């Protein structure tokens, strides 16, 4: 019943739309002639704009090149010296660059100096002085001239020193001209660029309009603005209206044939697919979608769209679940962050209050201060991780490749971490490579060290009894360096492996809660390894320990064979009286420096900003060392060292900064600082630096 009711409606739709089509066709025919004129007019205007833009674009390289050459101090010197050898070797070799036949130079008095032509131009000096007067006003100008060899395109520029960007006409040193001959080769190139037929016309020739062609003229003007000729650009106008009536008969006959075919096949080709579409829209029937995809023509495409729409709905549902999970994880992360920050802050505030407001003996006071110091370090570590993760997320981190002695790097890390392990029940072992690096390698040593330190710190943190080992192997065949960090600690559940490197996820357990932290170390390590072009992976079983593997590309800096440098143990000795300048705008930080150094034999003076630091360093030759704050008013530490170093290159200048990322450290080294110390200040690190450089 539905088919019988619907089919007459479809038939009536076909007939009525056909009648409408015929009426519409005759109406369109009426306006065809009118449209023909409008189309022709618009085409000519568009063609004219296109030609002028293409000609401007074709001249652009010459204008850019001549602007660079004419604003060149060496060219200014040539005008004065008239050194022919310099011109031939420097400017004369640029004929091919300019794609020109003539390069010429004139002095400030508009006298001819020299030229470099191709054999096609014999004329020596043909640039009018009025053209040079025009260059005094406009700087650069393109115009056309008639010379015995034919019409030429001339691009001229006034020559100025590089310190005269505004091209002050009072500083004009001379004039430089680039000449291109408008010969057969020039026209062929122009025809290719504009996809047009080009014809040269006289200055007074009027362009005739042709029915099947569009044309535009480009006037060739000399330096006075006088038209000396025209370039006629023509292109075929492939729009014909004469066959419209004949096409009408063909269309009408074709229409009736197609109408008959439509009546026969409407049910199979139109109604049935429309019915399938109705079923899909009403119920989302998957079987109807499948049948619709098997239909012919556009209905098959519609079936594909329905299927894609269903898939997208499923993807949206999945994405919504993931977004909700992400929100939940972020909320959990923020709650954990709040807890981790409040824990050391609670200790700092609480024990500080006890020291200030209660009567305690020296032993208790020392115990409380140790707790405050440890809590402060934990707080700084949390903030450093958050800042580093923020920089990674905003793509502000980039590798700083340097030449690295890999054996020394690994040995130094081993010795450094070894002395920090408080647990005597943990055996810390460095696995020697079976094939050590034969040459220095190229990598970012700061990020490499940070990855190893993060992995070793985690391994030690979650291992109560047993051992922690690390080492590397060289894989020259695949050009890789493979690092391994292994522990016999608690291990990680296999279900957590896929989330272990995610920044908002942490394996929550009694031990992880006990040791604290945000769990960003592994996320930062993964980001660093991938930044260096490598990969990181994990093997772990609960109760048996964990093994982290990561690889980075092997790039040798092939110089002499390397030797492992021993780890230097600094011998701290008390120096004689030395004069130290502390550039620090913060009163509390300066007071801290004073209190740390009050029992040492040092004389201290202070600068409260960068400018004052520069004045003191340059005015007092007795200063032996400078502790320079990076962020100061009036003049920063970076600006101050730029002025101090040229005058006192041997003065040790140590940067003190609250920034601690690898990029900040690299920036400090590039600025020329002798060394650096980070805030919060470490007393032992301070005295180590003072002993080293004094």
């Amino acid at each position: 019943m539905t088919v019988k009711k619907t089919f007459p409606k479809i038939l009536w739709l076909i007939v009525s739309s056909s009648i409408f089509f015929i009426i519409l066709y005759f109406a369109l025919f009426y306006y065809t002639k009118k449209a023909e004129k409008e189309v022709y007019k618009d085409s000519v205007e568009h063609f004219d704009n296109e030609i002028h833009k293409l000609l401007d674009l074709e001249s652009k390289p010459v204008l850019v090149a001549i602007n660079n050459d004419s604003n060149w101090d060496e060219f200014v010197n040539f005008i004065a010296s008239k050194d022919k050898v310099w011109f031939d070797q420097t400017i004369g070799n640029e004929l091919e660059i300019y794609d020109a036949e003539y390069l010429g130079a004139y002095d400030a008095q508009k006298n001819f100096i020299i030229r470099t032509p191709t054999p096609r131009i014999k004329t020596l000096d043909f640039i009018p002085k009025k053209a040079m007067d025009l260059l005094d006003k406009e700087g650069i100008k393109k115009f056309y001239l008639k010379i015995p060899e034919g019409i030429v395109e001339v691009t001229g520029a006034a020559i100025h020193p590089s310190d005269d960007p505004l091209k002050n006409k009072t500083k004009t040193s001379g004039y430089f001209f680039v000449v291109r001959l408008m010969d057969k080769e020039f026209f062929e190139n122009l025809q290719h660029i504009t996809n047009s037929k080009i014809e040269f016309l006289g200055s007074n020739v009027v362009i005739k309009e042709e029915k099947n062609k569009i044309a535009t003229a480009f006037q060739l003007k000399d330096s006075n603005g006088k038209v000396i000729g025209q370039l006629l650009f023509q292109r075929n106008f492939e729009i014909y209206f004469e066959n419209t009536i004949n096409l009408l008969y063909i269309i009408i006959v074709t229409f009736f044939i197609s109408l008959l075919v439509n009546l026969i096949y409407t049910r199979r080709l139109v109604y049935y697919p429309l019915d399938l579409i109705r079923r899909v829209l009403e119920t989302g029937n998957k079987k109807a979608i499948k049948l619709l995809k098997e239909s012919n023509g556009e209905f098959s495409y519609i079936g594909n769209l329905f299927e894609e729409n269903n898939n997208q709905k499923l993807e949206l549902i999945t994405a919504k679940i993931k977004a909700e999970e992400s929100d939940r994880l972020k909320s959990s992360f923020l709650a954990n962050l709040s807890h981790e920050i409040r824990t050391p802050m609670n200790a700092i505030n609480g024990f500080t209050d006890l020291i200030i407001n209660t009567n305690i003996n020296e032993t208790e006071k020392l115990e409380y201060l140790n707790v405050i110091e440890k809590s402060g370090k934990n707080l700084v570590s949390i903030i450093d991780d958050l800042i580093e993760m923020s920089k990674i997320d905003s793509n502000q981190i980039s590798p700083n490749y340097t030449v690295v002695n890999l054996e020394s790097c690994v040995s130094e890390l081993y010795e450094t971490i070894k002395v920090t392990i408080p647990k005597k029940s943990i055996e810390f072992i460095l696995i020697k490579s079976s094939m050590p690096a034969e040459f220095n390698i190229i990598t970012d040593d700061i990020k490499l060290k940070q990855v190893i330190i993060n992995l070793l710190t985690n391994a030690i943190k979650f291992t109560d009894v047993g051992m922690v080992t690390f080492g590397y192997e060289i894989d020259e065949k695949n050009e890789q360096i493979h690092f391994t960090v292994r522990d016999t600690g608690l291990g990680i559940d296999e279900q957590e492996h896929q989330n272990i490197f995610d920044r908002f996820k942490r394996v929550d357990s009694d031990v992880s809660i006990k040791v604290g932290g945000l769990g960003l170390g592994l996320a930062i390590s993964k980001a660093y390894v991938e930044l260096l072009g490598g990969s990181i992976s994990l093997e772990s079983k609960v109760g048996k320990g964990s093994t982290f593997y990561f690889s980075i590309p092997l790039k040798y800096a092939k110089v002499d064979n390397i030797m492992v440098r021993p780890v230097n143990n600094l011998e701290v000795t008390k120096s004689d009286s030395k004069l130290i300048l502390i550039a620090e705008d913060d009163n509390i930080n300066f007071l801290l420096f004073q209190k740390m150094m009050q029992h040492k034999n040092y004389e201290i003076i202070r600068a409260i900003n960068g400018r004052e630091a520069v004045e003191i360093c340059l005015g007092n030759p007795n200063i032996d060392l400078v502790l320079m704050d990076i962020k100061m008013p009036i003049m920063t530490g970076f600006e101050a060292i730029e002025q101090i170093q040229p005058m006192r290159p041997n003065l040790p200048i140590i940067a003190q900064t609250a920034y601690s990322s690898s990029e900040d450290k690299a920036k400090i080294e590039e600025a020329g600082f002798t060394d650096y110390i980070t805030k919060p200040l470490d007393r032992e690190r301070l005295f180590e630096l003072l002993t080293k450089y004094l």
Side-chain angles (χ1 to χ4, degrees), residues 7 50 55 77 168 186 230 472 529 538 572 606 641:
F7 182 70
E50 179 186 347
L55 290 176
N77 296 336
N168 189 336
F186 181 90
Q230 301 180 87
Y472 77 91
V529 170
L538 161 72
V572 179
R606 180 188 183 188
I641 195 173

Side-chain angles (χ1 to χ4, degrees), residues 561-583:
N561 286 17
I562 63 173
M563 295 180 63
V564 179
R565 298 191 304 270
V567 178
N568 295 324
N569 295 317
L570 291 174
E571 187 176 327
V572 179
T573 57
K574 188 174 182 181
S575 59
D576 297 329
S577 178
K578 297 289 184 179
L579 181 58
I580 298 174
L581 170 64
I582 298 178

Side-chain angles (χ1 to χ4, degrees), residues 37 65 73 111 223 245 262 332 344 411 433 438 449 459 463 507 621:
K37 293 182 180 180
D73 291 337
N111 297 317
S223 58
I245 299 299
N262 283 333
S332 175
S411 298
S433 174
E438 186 178 358
K449 287 179 180 178
T463 302
V507 179

Side-chain angles (χ1 to χ4, degrees), residues 267-333:
R267 297 180 70 89
R268 186 167 63 89
L269 298 180
V270 178
Y271 168 71
Y272 181 63
L274 287 176
D275 185 58
L276 291 175
I277 291 174
R278 179 188 58 77
R279 289 161 57 189
V280 172
L281 292 174
E282 289 178 352
T283 63
N285 191 299
K286 292 184 178 180
K287 184 178 179 181
I289 293 176
K290 182 179 178 181
L291 294 172
L292 195 58
K293 285 177 61 181
E294 295 172 355
S295 302
N296 296 320
E298 292 299 321
F299 290 109
S300 175
Y301 176 68
I302 293 172
N304 289 326
L305 290 178
F306 278 128
E307 186 175 57
E308 290 178 9
N309 182 56
N310 275 2
N311 293 336
Q312 288 173 358
K313 286 181 179 178
L314 294 175
E315 290 174 0
L316 286 173
I317 293 171
T318 304
K320 181 175 179 292
I321 294 172
K322 288 184 177 180
E324 291 172 349
E325 173 69 7
S326 177
D327 287 341
R328 186 187 65 79
L329 290 172
K330 287 181 180 179
S331 299
S332 175
F333 174 79

Side-chain angles (χ1 to χ4, degrees), residues 7-239:
F7 182 70
K9 294 180 181 179
I10 296 176
L11 181 61
W12 169 244
L13 179 63
I14 293 173
V15 174
S16 59
S17 61
S18 301
I19 295 172
F20 173 77
F21 172 77
I22 295 172
I23 296 172
L24 178 63
Y25 183 82
F26 281 105
L28 289 173
F29 178 77
Y30 171 77
Y31 289 101
T32 297
K33 292 297 181 180
K34 184 177 179 181
E36 180 181 5
K37 293 182 180 180
E38 292 295 329
V39 169
Y40 183 83
K41 180 182 177 182
D42 291 343
S43 298
V44 170
E45 290 179 359
H46 178 77
F47 182 55
D48 182 70
N49 291 334
E50 179 186 347
I51 293 299
H52 280 76
K53 287 180 181 178
L54 288 172
L55 290 176
D56 288 342
L57 186 62
E58 196 270 340
S59 299
K60 192 72 175 179
V62 176
L63 293 173
V64 172
I66 199 172
N67 182 63
N68 291 336
D69 281 345
S70 61
N71 195 27
W72 187 14
D73 291 337
E74 289 192 23
F75 211 155
V76 174
N77 296 336
F78 161 75
I79 296 299
S81 66
K82 298 180 175 58
D83 184 355
K84 182 177 181 301
V85 174
W86 180 90
F87 187 87
D88 290 340
Q89 292 179 351
T90 307
I91 301 299
N93 289 330
E94 294 185 353
L95 276 172
E96 291 186 3
I97 295 176
Y98 284 105
D99 191 20
E101 282 73 39
Y102 178 101
L103 302 176
Y106 292 74
D107 61 19
Q109 289 73 40
K110 303 176 177 62
N111 297 317
F112 175 75
I113 299 176
I114 194 171
R115 66 163 189 164
T116 299
T118 64
R120 288 190 281 182
I121 293 186
K122 307 294 184 184
T123 308
L124 179 65
D125 175 18
F126 51 82
I127 306 297
K129 287 184 170 51
K130 288 186 178 180
M132 300 180 208
D133 293 335
L134 187 63
L135 294 182
D136 287 333
K137 297 178 181 178
E138 299 190 18
I140 296 178
K141 185 69 176 179
K142 185 175 77 172
F143 54 90
Y144 299 87
L145 291 175
K146 281 186 179 180
I147 63 173
E149 289 82 356
I151 293 181
V152 293
E153 176 193 86
V154 182
T155 306
I159 301 171
H160 294 265
S162 61
D163 62 352
D164 182 26
L166 297 178
K167 300 193 179 318
N168 189 336
K169 64 182 180 180
T170 61
K171 289 188 178 182
T172 300
S173 302
Y175 307 91
F176 178 45
F177 294 93
V178 176
V179 179
R180 299 197 293 180
L181 182 62
M182 300 179 70
D183 55 5
K184 181 180 178 181
E185 182 180 341
F186 181 90
F187 283 122
E188 287 178 352
N189 180 55
L190 206 55
Q191 286 183 154
H192 177 71
I193 292 173
T194 60
N195 192 26
S196 308
K197 181 181 178 182
I198 301 176
E199 182 181 351
F200 180 78
L201 302 177
S203 58
N204 297 322
V205 177
V206 179
I207 302 173
K208 295 181 180 179
E209 183 177 305
E210 296 185 36
K211 186 172 184 180
N212 295 326
K213 289 185 178 180
I214 53 176
T216 185
F218 180 79
Q219 294 182 335
L220 307 178
K221 296 181 180 180
D222 62 14
S223 58
N224 294 323
K226 181 181 177 182
V227 178
I228 62 173
Q230 301 180 87
L231 292 182
L232 177 64
F233 294 84
Q234 289 183 320
R235 188 181 291 171
N236 290 336
F237 183 63
E238 303 290 351
I239 299 180

